[in-house]
Amino acid sequence: MQFVKTHLISLICGALALAFVGVGVYGMTQKQVVEDMKKRADAAGEIKQLQSSPQNKDTIAAEQRRGELFKSEFEQTLEEANRINKRPPLM
């Protein structure tokens, strides 16, 4: 009885931890959880397939054109800035 009194908090924490582990294992073995995990695994497979072969070619082409336009405008801006800030050498 003295052991229980001196280690009461540790015993209670251990019992609660064991109960939580038991509830967690019980919850993960339910049929609904297994079905949800299978659905998510299938969705992950579909996403991986879409990454390897994209389906929306128009959107990809539009983004490529947008990137090229930005690059050309950036180069024009740099040329203009170099023209405006051009200074003759002092020596």
Side-chain angles (χ1 to χ4, degrees):
M1 193 60 164
Q2 185 64 26
F3 177 80
V4 173
K5 287 182 182 179
T6 56
H7 296 96
L8 184 61
I9 293 176
S10 298
L11 291 172
I12 290 173
C13 290
L16 287 175
L18 188 61
F20 287 135
V21 169
V23 169
V25 169
Y26 174 72
M28 288 184 183
T29 58
Q30 288 183 345
K31 190 173 186 178
Q32 181 183 9
V33 174
V34 174
E35 291 173 359
D36 288 344
M37 290 175 67
K38 286 181 182 177
K39 285 180 188 176
R40 291 179 188 206
D42 293 341
E46 290 176 14
I47 290 171
K48 208 165 235 211
Q49 179 188 9
L50 289 175
Q51 286 177 340
S52 64
S53 60
Q55 301 296 322
N56 196 348
K57 304 281 186 199
D58 297 334
T59 304
I60 293 170
E63 287 298 318
Q64 286 176 343
R65 285 192 302 270
R66 187 171 151 230
E68 291 168 0
L69 178 64
F70 175 79
K71 186 177 179 181
S72 67
E73 288 177 351
F74 178 72
E75 289 173 358
Q76 290 174 357
T77 303
L78 280 180
E79 290 173 4
E80 186 68 21
N82 286 334
R83 186 188 63 78
I84 292 171
N85 292 326
K86 186 173 184 182
R87 293 190 176 44
L90 296 175
M91 297 178 97

